[in-house]
């Protein structure tokens, strides 16, 4: 699925709409360069789950932030990751057994053995100063279902 966003507000609202289809145990992997809108999108998801957008920040210096809402969010950011040992030390794998939604920014920095088997992949591309292309792909049946419902909601 391809979506074009023309503002931060539109990107935020896309995240907020996606949140209505997410449930405990879901994993989202976000890809894209700095400034592409990944954190704005996460703020929208969080807001859709009852978390004030002001509470959401890129966890670039701590690897993970936890937000409490209707469903907790475990927000990883691997931008400053030096090696995969840091992920393991942070307890990354333990979060998959907790009751919440996992969102991973800079998922391209995960090694194959740490990448989840099933997830929603969301890639952000900067087209120009005010527009982004957001490509969403599903890996696993539950994510295909989420993606189909989301498509209907935004059309």
């Amino acid at each position: 699925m391809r979506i074009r966003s023309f503002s931060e507000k539109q990107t935020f609202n896309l995240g907020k709409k996606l949140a209505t289809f997410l449930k405990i145990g879901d994993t989202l992997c976000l890809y894209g360069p700095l400034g592409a809108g990944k954190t704005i999108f996460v703020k929208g998801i969080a807001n859709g789950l009852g978390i004030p957008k002001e509470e959401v920040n890129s966890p670039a210096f701590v690897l993970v932030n936890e937000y409490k809402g209707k469903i907790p969010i475990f927000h990883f950011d691997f931008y400053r990751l030096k090696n995969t040992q840091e992920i393991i030390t942070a307890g990354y794998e333990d979060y998959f057994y907790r009751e919440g939604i996992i969102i991973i920014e800079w998922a391209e920095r995960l090694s194959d053995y740490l990448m989840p088997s099933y997830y929603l992949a969301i890639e952000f591309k900067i087209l120009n100063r005010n527009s982004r292309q957001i490509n969403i792909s599903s890996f696993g049946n539950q994510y295909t279902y989420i993606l189909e419902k989301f498509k209907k909601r935004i059309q």
Side-chain angles (χ1 to χ4, degrees):
M1 169 181 200
R2 286 189 177 171
I3 304 166
R4 190 131 179 217
S5 174
F6 297 96
S7 68
E8 284 188 5
K9 183 178 181 182
Q10 190 176 8
T11 300
F12 176 89
N13 286 333
L14 286 168
K16 190 171 182 174
K17 288 176 185 175
L18 180 61
T20 62
F21 303 107
L22 299 177
K23 61 186 183 332
I24 290 171
D26 285 339
T27 302
L28 285 69
C29 293
L30 281 55
Y31 304 85
L34 280 172
K38 296 181 298 292
T39 302
I40 296 294
F41 190 78
V42 174
K43 286 176 181 267
I45 292 170
N47 192 254
L49 296 171
I51 301 164
K53 64 182 179 183
E54 298 77 25
E55 287 185 26
V56 179
N57 293 301
S58 183
F61 295 102
V62 292
L63 289 183
V64 65
N65 280 339
E66 297 183 24
Y67 310 115
K68 293 183 170 97
K70 294 174 193 170
I71 301 172
I73 294 176
F74 309 121
H75 180 200
F76 287 88
D77 185 320
F78 295 145
Y79 177 68
R80 297 192 188 281
L81 190 69
K82 292 181 183 86
N83 58 58
T84 54
Q85 187 59 42
E86 284 184 288
I87 299 170
I88 295 166
T89 303
Y92 168 74
E93 293 169 310
D94 297 337
Y95 282 92
F96 287 93
Y97 301 101
R98 293 182 60 188
E99 300 283 310
I101 295 168
I102 295 173
I103 302 175
I104 304 166
E105 289 193 46
W106 297 94
E108 58 269 31
R109 298 191 177 195
L110 282 173
S111 64
D112 288 340
Y113 80 96
L114 288 174
M115 193 69 174
S117 300
Y118 307 104
Y119 58 95
L120 201 60
I122 306 168
E123 180 186 15
F124 295 78
K125 292 183 178 180
I126 299 172
L127 300 177
N128 61 46
R129 184 173 180 229
N130 295 315
S131 67
R132 306 292 187 259
Q133 181 173 305
I134 303 169
N135 301 322
I136 306 176
S137 306
S138 58
F139 294 88
N141 290 338
Q142 75 218 46
Y143 298 105
T144 301
Y145 176 78
I146 290 169
L147 190 52
E148 289 303 317
K149 291 286 191 184
F150 181 61
K151 279 182 193 177
K152 290 178 185 174
R153 174 97 191 268
I154 63 169
Q155 290 178 344

